[in-house]
Amino acid sequence: MVKRNAGATETRSELAQNVAPVSPAPAGTTDYYAIKNAHWISQSCGTNVIQQTSGQGKTTLVLSVEKSVAATVTKEVNVDLKYISAGMGWSVTNTYSVKNETRYEVPSGKFGTVQAFPLYDVFVGDAWSGAGGRFPTGKKVYAYKPVGVCFNQWLR
């Protein structure tokens, strides 16, 4: 079960608009200077449990989640996070609030568990090197922005 934060005001296209390349790093560094062509590609549930509840039935398990979750980045190149933020159009170093609730009926004689995981919007961009980001590297940068909650629920 996946639940996106209610009332999101930004659209994916607004979040992923390209930003003008960032000025290059000082001479002698190996950082890539620009992330170009950044865009939303999918949503993905995280793998780290952010909250959990369980109980013996007959009962209703209620899991209310309100957490701050850090954005994350995976990259194929050595690029400073400030350049990734500029290219993605949002801060990859911030934490974002995720909030939602679910209910799960556990029948008599069963034991139920509900786990909550962060839901991320996944963005990808191309890493460009050189002064002003003039040269394509063929390398990708992925940024994961927390936008909601995924729930996993089961009986045993």
Side-chain angles (χ1 to χ4, degrees), residues 5 7 18 26 28 45 53-54 57 67 71 77 109 118 130 132 137:
N5 281 356
N18 285 332
C45 290
T53 190
S54 57
K67 297 282 184 182
V77 292
T137 64

Side-chain angles (χ1 to χ4, degrees), residues 11-28:
T11 65
R12 288 186 186 116
S13 61
E14 288 171 336
L15 287 171
Q17 287 177 351
N18 285 332
V19 176
V22 175
S23 299

